[in-house]
């Protein structure tokens, strides 16, 4: 089983990652930390009209993570994906390039590929009339082509959405003119953890009866860590020892683990990850958490103002080679996905939705350790303004 040293051998943190770690080691005050109580309107989480604005301005325009590269580890693979509300099809063509298509045959609009799991596929064949496509989306063949006089196969390829693969993440946007510059910058930063070389151990789709921002909020502050997670991961962390900054509109934070940092080489990735846990909150709605020897990527796909699908991916250094290795990773998966995320973070979001929907409070109140929540709310507001 690959350990944390093997996983990070020869890797160094980025300048930004090392800076946050040194802030924690030096006891520096996070410059983002507010000096006064702040608030966010409760209606931001409960108003259906507000959700429709967010959907139009963000989820129908901005680049967003759809999956880790590890979902399609080899050329010649395809996986249907429906949780965004669109029938998508992710492929990796024979040259290794990732694509995002609408999972719709160009002939009669039939769903092209059924199922939900990644599978090897040399070509994509429509189940209705057997129109056949390459994994790069081009129409390869169709039965009785003479019955379509004047039709050029080159004009009948699958509808492809703008996409980008960088640092072990696959991004897409439904918006034709999407700018992926900020997505590329933060992906390169996340790629410093070796994300592109990891193996997908597990993925699970969760249904959370809460606003998507309530889920994001749980990963934007450390005030709750030793309290909400008191019986799971809380004992591994120092209380409120955190630092954060931004990469474009995306947020990057670091939390001090219980281990002492004196004498630790913070320019060595393996050493750094033993004493600091990073978290990335990618606009609009993705969370990346590199634990010491694996990475969780959670992709949030809001369905309404009070319902969110969350797909959790766990990436590990290599496929388990022994029963002992598999048992180790199964226990890690059960702790984070089921114990921490589902039973604690997601449940807290559901309880928050219930409380805010009652109208009992007009705004959520944020202390000085929760400045990330207000900063993220400001980033959402900026996205709404930019779309107008």
């Amino acid at each position: 089983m690959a350990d944390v040293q093997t996983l990070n051998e020869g890797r160094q943190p980025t300048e930004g990652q090392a800076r946050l770690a040194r802030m924690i080691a030096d006891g520096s005050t996070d410059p983002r930390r507010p000096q006064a109580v702040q608030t966010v309107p409760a209606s931001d989480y409960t108003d259906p009209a507000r959700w429709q604005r967010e959907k139009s301005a963000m989820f129908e325009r901005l680049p967003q993570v759809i999956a880790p590269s590890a979902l399609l580890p080899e050329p010649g693979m395809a996986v249907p994906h429906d949780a965004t509300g669109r029938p998508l099809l992710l492929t990796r063509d024979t040259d290794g390039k990732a694509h995002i298509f609408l999972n719709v045959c160009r002939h009669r609009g039939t769903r092209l590929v059924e199922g939900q799991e990644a599978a090897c596929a040399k070509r994509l064949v429509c189940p209705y009339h057997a129109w056949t496509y390459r994994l790069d989306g081009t129409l390869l063949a169709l039965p009785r082509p003479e019955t379509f006089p004047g039709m050029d196969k080159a004009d009948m390829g699958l509808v492809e959405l703008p996409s980008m693969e960088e640092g072990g993440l696959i991004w897409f946007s439904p918006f034709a003119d999407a700018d992926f510059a900020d997505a590329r910058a933060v992906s390169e930063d996340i790629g410093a953890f070796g994300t592109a070389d990891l193996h997908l151990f597990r993925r699970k789709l969760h249904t959370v009866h809460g606003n998507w921002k309530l889920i994001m909020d749980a990963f934007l502050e450390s005030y709750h860590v030793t309290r909400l997670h008191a019986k799971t991961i809380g004992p591994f962390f120092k209380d409120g020892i955190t630092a954060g900054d931004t990469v474009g509109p995306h947020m990057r934070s670091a939390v001090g683990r219980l281990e002492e940092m004196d004498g630790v080489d913070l320019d060595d990735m393996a050493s750094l990850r033993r004493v600091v846990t990073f978290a990335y909150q990618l606009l609009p709605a993705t969370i990346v958490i590199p634990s010491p020897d694996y990475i969780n990527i959670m992709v949030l796909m809001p369905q309404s103002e009070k319902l969110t699908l969350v797909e959790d991916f766990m990436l590990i250094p290599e496929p388990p080679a022994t029963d002992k290795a598999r048992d180790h990773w199964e226990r890690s998966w059960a702790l984070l996905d089921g114990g921490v995320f589902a039973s604690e973070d997601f449940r807290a979001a559901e309880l928050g939705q219930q409380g805010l929907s009652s109208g009992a409070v007009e705004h959520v109140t944020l202390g000085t350790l929760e400045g990330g929540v207000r900063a993220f709310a400001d980033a959402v507001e900026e996205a709404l303004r930019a779309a107008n």
Side-chain angles (χ1 to χ4, degrees):
M1 181 179 68
D3 59 16
V4 65
Q5 187 65 46
T6 303
L7 171 65
N8 297 289
E9 186 174 358
R11 298 190 183 277
Q12 292 181 313
T14 65
E15 180 180 345
Q17 292 165 353
R19 182 175 62 251
L20 294 184
R22 290 192 176 94
M23 288 177 61
I24 294 174
D26 297 340
S28 303
T29 301
D30 186 342
R32 298 190 314 168
R33 181 173 295 181
Q35 300 303 306
V37 170
Q38 298 178 306
T39 63
V40 175
S43 60
D44 282 9
Y45 304 95
T46 61
D47 183 8
R50 163 80 182 205
W51 152 239
Q52 288 299 327
R53 289 178 58 212
E54 293 170 350
K55 180 182 178 183
S56 176
M58 302 175 70
F59 294 94
E60 294 180 356
R61 293 180 63 89
L62 296 182
Q64 52 210 272
V65 174
I66 186 69
S69 300
L71 181 61
L72 297 167
E74 303 292 340
M77 298 190 72
V79 57
H81 194 293
D82 298 313
T84 68
R86 304 172 185 85
L88 299 181
L89 180 65
L90 287 64
T91 73
R92 190 175 297 283
D93 65 27
T94 54
D95 292 327
K97 178 177 172 56
H99 302 267
I100 310 279
F101 300 107
L102 293 180
N103 189 13
V104 178
C105 179
R106 290 293 303 278
H107 174 212
R108 297 268 291 274
T110 304
R111 180 184 176 94
L112 187 61
V113 181
E114 297 182 83
Q116 299 178 336
E117 300 300 322
C120 296
K122 293 183 178 180
R123 57 185 61 87
L124 308 168
V125 182
C126 179
Y128 199 174
H129 298 92
W131 282 37
T132 302
Y133 301 85
R134 296 185 179 91
L135 294 178
D136 65 4
T138 57
L139 179 60
L140 175 64
L142 66 155
R144 300 292 304 274
E146 76 279 2
T147 65
F148 295 86
M151 187 188 77
D152 188 346
K153 286 195 301 182
D155 297 330
M156 299 299 287
L158 298 178
V159 176
E160 185 166 8
L161 300 181
S163 66
M164 179 206 77
E165 183 175 22
E166 182 69 49
L169 300 176
I170 301 174
W171 299 67
F172 86 104
S173 174
F175 185 56
D177 297 325
D179 182 355
F180 286 86
D182 289 329
R184 188 175 301 280
V186 76
S187 295
E188 289 173 353
D189 200 80
I190 294 170
F193 296 107
T195 314
D197 300 322
L198 299 182
H199 168 74
L200 176 61
F201 180 66
R202 288 284 183 270
R203 62 188 279 235
K204 182 176 180 179
L205 188 66
H206 296 266
T207 299
V208 183
H209 294 274
N211 184 272
W212 66 279
K213 297 187 298 301
L214 286 174
I215 302 171
M216 295 294 291
D217 287 355
F219 298 89
L220 287 160
E221 48 87 2
S222 62
Y223 180 44
H224 75 282
V225 172
T226 60
R227 299 162 182 87
L228 178 66
H229 303 312
K231 296 182 179 180
T232 52
I233 61 171
F236 298 113
F237 293 91
K238 298 173 182 175
D239 186 12
I241 307 301
T242 183
D245 60 6
T246 57
V247 182
H250 308 293
M251 297 189 179
R252 173 177 58 189
S253 58
V255 180
R257 298 178 67 90
L258 204 59
E259 293 83 354
E260 293 303 321
M261 299 180 69
D262 292 344
V264 174
D265 182 3
L266 299 181
D267 290 317
D268 174 71
M269 183 62 87
S271 300
L272 174 61
R273 290 178 69 177
R274 291 193 190 98
V275 296
V276 173
T277 291
F278 289 89
Y280 291 78
Q281 303 86 20
L282 309 181
L283 205 70
T286 298
I287 300 155
V288 180
I289 301 181
S291 295
D293 55 353
Y294 58 92
I295 294 178
N296 282 89
I297 298 172
M298 284 173 280
V299 179
L300 280 59
M301 294 161 286
Q303 309 295 299
S304 73
E305 79 281 1
K306 56 185 177 182
L307 180 65
T308 308
L309 300 180
V310 183
E311 189 160 27
D312 181 21
F313 301 87
M314 180 179 173
L315 308 182
I316 65 175
E318 61 189 12
T322 65
D323 290 341
K324 181 179 179 181
R326 180 171 295 279
D327 180 65
H328 168 80
W329 295 121
E330 290 288 7
R331 285 185 280 110
S332 296
W333 170 253
L335 172 66
L336 265 292
D337 180 79
V340 177
F341 300 149
S343 299
E344 296 174 347
D345 291 310
F346 300 165
R347 183 56 181 159
E350 293 183 329
L351 295 175
Q353 190 71 37
Q354 293 171 22
L356 293 175
S357 297
S358 73
V361 296
E362 295 183 356
H363 54 256
V364 299
T365 302
L366 306 171
T368 60
L369 291 177
E370 301 167 287
V373 176
R374 180 64 259 182
F376 186 76
D378 292 340
V380 172
E381 289 295 336
E382 177 59 32
L384 296 180
R385 285 193 296 268
N388 291 334

